[in-house]
Amino acid sequence: MCLWLLTACLGLLPAQPQAPIVIIHGVPSPILQPTTAATTAATTKAPNTTANPTTMPPPPMSSMSTISTSPPMPPTSPTTASPATTRMTAATTSSTMTTPRPTSPGQLPIDPRQGSTQAPSAQFRVPQIDGYTAQNPSYDMAVKFPREKRSLQRTNPYTGYSFHNFYSKRHSITKRQSCRCVPAGTCANSSYGAGMIDFRIVTPTVMPCPTGQEYCCGTTTNTITCGTVQSVPAVSVTPASGQANYGEYPWQAIILTKQNDYVAGGVLIDQLNVITVTHRLSTYVVSGTAPNIKVRLGEWDAAGTYEPIPFQEYTVAKVFTHPSYNQNTLQYDITVIRLSSSVPFTPMAGAAATINRACLPPSSTTTYTGRRCWVSGWGKDMFGVQGQYQQILKEVDVPIVAPATCQSQLQAARLGPSYVLDTTSFICAGGEPSKDSCTGDGGSGLVCSVNGQWVVVGLVAWGLGCANPNVPAAYVNVAALLPWIQQQVATA
């Protein structure tokens, strides 16, 4: 007690007791909140990783009639585009179209697309011009890099020695594919996307290609694809309404005598074979060949010689006529003409841009009902003696008619209720007023556009007059007769 009092008197005790200081390790410092500017900058540079991820779609890749008009009628708008923009309107048919013809016993009163062969005319006597070779422009836009080896020399950490070969990295730089404009259908696009996908590299601007050509960065096929129309030079004559454009139907063949008399139309289907109708060719066939017949390809104006690419003519080696052909009903009205030499389809081997083959149907059961398709030819512009053969190739779009509808319409028009349409031999098309194929067009092709390629589905055969409403014309059913066609094509 005394000791305490002595200490207090002397001032040795503190005035207030102090709390002890406790240090706790591991507590973090306060998080600094960024300013508005900093937040904006951070958001711009990186996505918010705390947000719920969503699956977003990838952006898109970069991106005959009666074959003439008298008087002319305005063309209708087809649902399937023709190979070119010019369309054919039809002729007004004469009053004789609805008048039944007298027939001999056993014959049906049908009108074969035959007509009479005119006297030799100067319009078909044009000189033969041989050969045509076209060069395609090449646009090689690949960057030319120097061919030098680049290597990296490092030091072995274990020994301290430098080993150039052991630690070198070789940089192999190869030139990109050569890209150029090629004829349509010749660019080899595999099922794995070669030539069609967009590589994630900086590529040069794609050069525009002329009509009928495509930009190709891969290899090209040996031959031009069937059923494609190529780019052709311009002609000095502008096609009139209803006339085909120059080079628009490259599979169209014109069958002539060696004296240049018109015989029939036809369709080129491969390098050696043309299909046509028997009723137009039968009188010229002798012992399985046609010695006085020639086939002209690449023709457009039959009376002119100004076309920039000359036509080509071929003689006939063999003729294959369907054994079931009936000259009274025109059933199985088909003939295969074997050419004496092959037609080139390789651009660098003399192929003409105005000549190509049409595709055949994929199978014998393929149907085309409801499609609008196109028929071309040099036949008459109207039925009867008033009709005139055409100088420039004509075209018209017609609808493919269902077999049952066609049969009932043909029965009502002239053939009577007992008539039965042979659907193996025929398909029907047309039935629209003032639009039809007609006399002289026999053998010409009826083609439909399928996936960008033109397929021959019919050959002009017969009708009841020309261009009458609700009276379709009958065409050879190429699909149904496909097995027989393929058999003849394979015959040596």
Side-chain angles (χ1 to χ4, degrees), residues 353-380:
T354 53
I355 300 175
N356 192 14
R357 66 215 181 280
C359 300
L360 288 170
S363 73
S364 60
T365 58
T366 307
T367 59
Y368 299 90
T369 300
R371 290 180 177 268
R372 292 201 74 89
C373 302
W374 292 83
V375 61
S376 56
W378 289 273
K380 291 187 176 182

